[in-house]
Amino acid sequence: MTRFCLLTCVFLHCLLGVSGQQKPNIVIIYADDVGYGDFSCYAPENRVKTPNVDKLAQKGLRFDRAYATAATCTPSRYSLLTGEYPWRKNGINVLAGDASAIIRSGHSTLASVFRQAGYTTAVVGKWHLGLGNDQGPDWNGHIRESPNDVGFDYSFIMAATGDRVPTVYVENSRVVNLDPQDPIRVNYRTKVGDEPTGRENPELLKMKHSHGHDFTIINGVGRIGYMAGGKAARWTDETMADTFTSKAVHFIEQNRQQPFLLYFATHDVHVPRVPHPRFTGKSGHGLRGDALLEFDWSVGEIMKALEENGLLKNTLVILSSDNGPVVDDGYHDGAVEHLGSHRPTGPLRGGKYSIFEGGTRIPFIVSYPGRVKPGVSHALFSQVDLYASLSALIGEKPDAGKKDSQNHLAALLGKDKKGRKEVVVHSQSGGAFAIIETDWKYITPTKGAAVQKDTRIELGNAPSPQLYRLEKDPGETTNLAEKEPAVLRTLEKRLEEIRNGS
Ligand code: NG6
Ligand code: CA
C-alpha cells in the first residue's frame, strides 16, 4: 500500500467511524404508559430503581419539558411516526385489536423517509396503528397494510395492546407460528369459539379484571375482544419482553454494517402486567414496579448490543413513553395496593387519559455520545417533531405537506435551549386541547368528566377555561384564567390558529 493510500484509508476511517459507516443509527425506545416520575433519574427519591435508564440519562440529555401529542397510545404513536397531529383526522383513537390500518401504503412516515435514504428500518413491539385494509386484517394470510407497507423493512409486532386480542405476534405481515388447521377468528362484538370468558368464568382467571377485560381468557388473563383458534401462535405474556428484546438485539447485530432505524416499542408497563418470573416481587412495589424493572432490563440489553457491536458512538438513542401513567388500568394486579410512596407522575397532576401534565409530559432522553453533551434540557419538545428533526439529521427533506412536524434537531442535540415556541396536546377523554407556551398552559373548556371513574385519574376537564403557570405550579393547582384574561385570550387565539392549520 502506498503512503497516499494509507493516509486516505486513515482519513476515511476517521470520517466514517470505527464501524465504517458515516450515517448515524437511530434507536427509538418507546415505553408504554411510563410516567414522568417513574424512572429514578427523573425522581431520585424512587425506591424502584432503573439503573440502565439512569445511565442513559447520565451520559445523555434528559428533557424535562418534552411531550407526547396525546394522552393515549394510538394518537401519540401516530404523531411520532407520521409527524402529524392525530386530531386532524377522524378515527385516530385507541384502536381495537382488529382495526384497519390508519397509516397505509404511500403515507410518508419516519420509516419511509429513512428507508428512502438507504437505511434498513425495523419496528419491534407494540404497533397499535391498525392492520389491513378497510376489511381489517386477514389473520390467516398475508396482512396487506402493515408496518412493512409504510416504510419498515422488518417488523415483529403485537397488533394492538397486551390486553387486546388476538394475542399473537405478527412478523413481516404474517402471524408467527400459525397452524393453518387452526385458523384465528377475532370479534370485538360477539363471541367466537367456545373458550371461557372472564365474564362467564372468573374462577379461571389468574389475574382478575377490575374493569373491562372480561372477554376471552388467554393464558389466565381476561382480554378485550373475543378470540378463537390460533392456539399454537398465542404469546406467553411472561416471555414477551424477552421475545421483543431478543428480536431487537438480533436486528442490531444483523445490521451493524449499515445504517439502521430501530423503533423498539415495548409492552412494558401497560396492562396486563405479567413480567417474567425473574422480575416478579423484585421491585417491592407490585407488578407495575416489576414491569418497570423489566423495561429497564430491556434498555440495558439494547445498549449492550450497541456496545458489543461497536455502535454506541454512532447511534442516536431516544427513550420516551407514549402517554402518562395509570395505576389501575383494568386488572387487580396489586399496583394500587403496592404503590407506596412511588409517584408515577412525579410532581405532575393527572395521568394517562388526562389533559393535565401527567397525561402527556413524558420522560424523554437523548443519547448520542460525542455529539450530545450530557445534561438536562429545559427546551420545549414534542414527539411530533421527531419526523422532521430526525429527517434533518440525515439530510432528508420531510414531506412538504407535513406542517405539524417542526425541525428542532438543534434542541434534540442540546444546542438550542428553547425548542418549540409552543406545544399542543390533546386528550380524547373529553376532547380537551391544551397549549403550552413559555411556562403558561391554557386548557380549553369541555363537558367531559372531571375524574375517570374506573382509573380514578383526574382528567382535567372543566366547563370553563383553565390557565396555569407551570414553572411555579407544575401540579396545576391555581387556575389563573380569571386573573390573566389577556394571556388567556392570546393562547386561545394561537391554539385556534394551529387547529385551523397555521
Ligand atoms: C382502555 C382499556 C385500557 C387500555 C387502554 C389503551 C378498558 C376498560 N380499558 O380502553 O386497559 O388498554 O384502553 O391503552 O378496556 S393505550 O396505552 O394503548 O392507549
Ligand atoms: Ca400507552
Side-chain angles (χ1 to χ4, degrees), residues 135 141 165 177 199 233 259 266 295 336 394 400 455 467 485:
Q135 276 68 56
V165 298
N177 286 336
R199 199 174 312 144
T266 68
F295 173 80
V336 175
I394 58 162
T455 59
L467 185 69

Side-chain angles (χ1 to χ4, degrees), residues 427-444:
S427 154
Q428 290 177 316
S429 311
F433 282 86
I435 181 168
I436 296 132
E437 193 183 313
T438 60
D439 78 325
W440 288 101
K441 174 172 177 182
Y442 160 67
I443 303 176
T444 58

Side-chain angles (χ1 to χ4, degrees), residues 347-499:
L348 309 178
R349 190 170 175 184
K352 180 176 179 175
Y353 308 111
S354 175
I355 197 67
F356 282 140
E357 290 290 282
T360 53
R361 204 200 294 190
I362 33 68
F364 192 91
I365 298 166
V366 176
S367 152
Y368 191 4
R371 293 243 0 229
V372 170
K373 278 204 203 114
V376 177
S377 172
H378 310 304
L380 261 184
F381 195 85
S382 169
Q383 289 173 358
V384 75
D385 294 334
L386 287 177
Y387 173 88
S389 308
L390 294 177
S391 299
L393 176 73
I394 58 162
E396 289 295 306
K397 277 218 161 54
D399 189 303
K402 307 260 192 185
K403 300 266 191 294
D404 299 333
S405 187
Q406 301 173 359
N407 173 7
H408 285 289
L409 181 61
L412 203 61
L413 301 180
K415 300 210 169 79
D416 167 17
K417 310 279 179 229
K418 288 215 155 65
R420 262 188 170 255
K421 187 170 176 296
E422 70 264 300
V423 159
V424 173
V425 293
H426 181 50
S427 154
Q428 290 177 316
S429 311
F433 282 86
I435 181 168
I436 296 132
E437 193 183 313
T438 60
D439 78 325
W440 288 101
K441 174 172 177 182
Y442 160 67
I443 303 176
T444 58
T446 55
K447 295 200 178 85
V451 176
Q452 199 177 61
K453 187 172 68 46
D454 294 322
T455 59
R456 283 173 263 164
I457 286 175
E458 288 188 290
L459 295 173
N461 298 320
S464 34
Q466 297 171 75
L467 185 69
Y468 298 103
R469 273 211 111 145
L470 295 176
E471 210 168 302
K472 279 198 206 115
D473 183 22
E476 295 165 280
T477 56
T478 310
N479 184 1
L480 300 169
E482 280 181 17
K483 243 180 157 178
E484 301 278 359
V487 180
L488 189 134
R489 261 197 309 280
T490 310
L491 290 177
E492 188 183 34
K493 193 163 155 271
R494 182 65 194 128
L495 176 61
E496 205 54 31
E497 282 168 7
I498 295 170
R499 286 176 65 183

Side-chain angles (χ1 to χ4, degrees), residues 31-34 71-74 77 126 128 270 321-324 352:
D32 201 353
D33 298 359
V34 167
T72 43
C73 165
T74 302
R77 284 162 205 256
K126 179 176 180 176
H128 213 184
H270 196 280
S321 177
D322 65 339
N323 52 252
K352 180 176 179 175

Side-chain angles (χ1 to χ4, degrees), residues 74-339:
T74 302
S76 290
R77 284 162 205 256
Y78 179 85
S79 290
L80 183 145
L81 286 181
T82 66
E84 299 160 33
Y85 285 128
W87 38 264
R88 294 226 186 268
K89 279 187 193 151
N90 288 329
I92 302 184
N93 205 333
V94 173
L95 295 178
D98 62 350
S100 303
I102 55 171
I103 311 176
R104 303 205 185 166
S105 323
H107 199 140
S108 173
T109 66
L110 195 58
S112 67
V113 171
F114 272 70
R115 185 195 241 172
Q116 221 160 29
Y119 274 66
T120 306
T121 53
V123 52
V124 175
K126 179 176 180 176
W127 181 240
H128 213 184
L129 294 164
L131 291 171
N133 55 22
D134 290 346
Q135 276 68 56
D138 172 8
W139 302 113
N140 301 297
H142 178 100
I143 302 170
R144 169 91 188 142
E145 299 307 345
S146 84
N148 297 70
D149 299 303
V150 291
F152 289 101
D153 293 304
Y154 175 70
S155 65
F156 186 97
I157 56 166
M158 69 156 105
T161 57
D163 54 353
R164 284 173 172 75
V165 298
T167 57
V168 295
Y169 299 122
V170 179
E171 186 172 30
N172 292 331
S173 315
R174 281 188 182 274
V175 170
V176 178
N177 286 336
L178 181 68
D179 173 2
Q181 306 302 317
D182 183 27
I184 293 174
R185 281 180 297 147
V186 168
N187 198 307
Y188 272 71
R189 283 165 296 277
T190 39
K191 185 171 171 177
V192 288
D194 52 12
E195 286 177 68
T197 65
R199 199 174 312 144
E200 298 158 338
N201 292 92
E203 73 284 359
L204 299 178
L205 295 167
K206 66 179 177 195
M207 185 188 278
K208 303 248 182 286
H209 47 268
S210 55
H211 52 274
H213 305 103
D214 57 358
F215 300 72
T216 307
I217 300 174
I218 295 163
N219 191 22
V221 180
R223 313 280 165 161
I224 311 172
Y226 299 104
M227 172 180 185
K231 286 246 164 71
R234 296 180 186 186
W235 71 51
T236 308
D237 304 84
E238 287 82 347
T239 55
M240 185 176 280
D242 287 354
T243 304
F244 284 150
T245 305
S246 70
K247 295 288 172 191
V249 165
H250 186 68
F251 175 80
I252 291 171
E253 284 163 354
Q254 294 284 301
N255 290 282
R256 61 177 175 268
Q257 309 279 20
Q258 66 223 30
F260 61 81
L261 165 80
L262 168 63
Y263 170 47
F264 176 55
T266 68
H267 159 68
D268 284 322
V269 300
H270 196 280
V271 296
R273 300 173 188 125
V274 191
H276 191 275
R278 68 183 186 277
F279 298 106
T280 50
K282 294 285 154 56
S283 69
H285 284 268
L287 290 171
R288 188 173 186 280
D290 301 342
L292 269 169
L293 298 186
E294 186 171 75
F295 173 80
D296 186 68
W297 168 84
S298 294
V299 173
E301 292 300 295
I302 300 290
M303 296 315 292
K304 196 161 82 191
L306 291 175
E307 187 166 12
E308 285 174 1
N309 288 284
L311 300 172
L312 258 191
K313 229 181 141 193
N314 197 34
T315 303
L316 170 70
V317 179
I318 296 171
L319 185 150
S320 196
S321 177
D322 65 339
N323 52 252
V326 51
V327 183
D328 177 354
D329 208 13
Y331 294 97
H332 289 295
D333 60 5
V336 175
E337 296 79 349
H338 293 102
L339 193 61

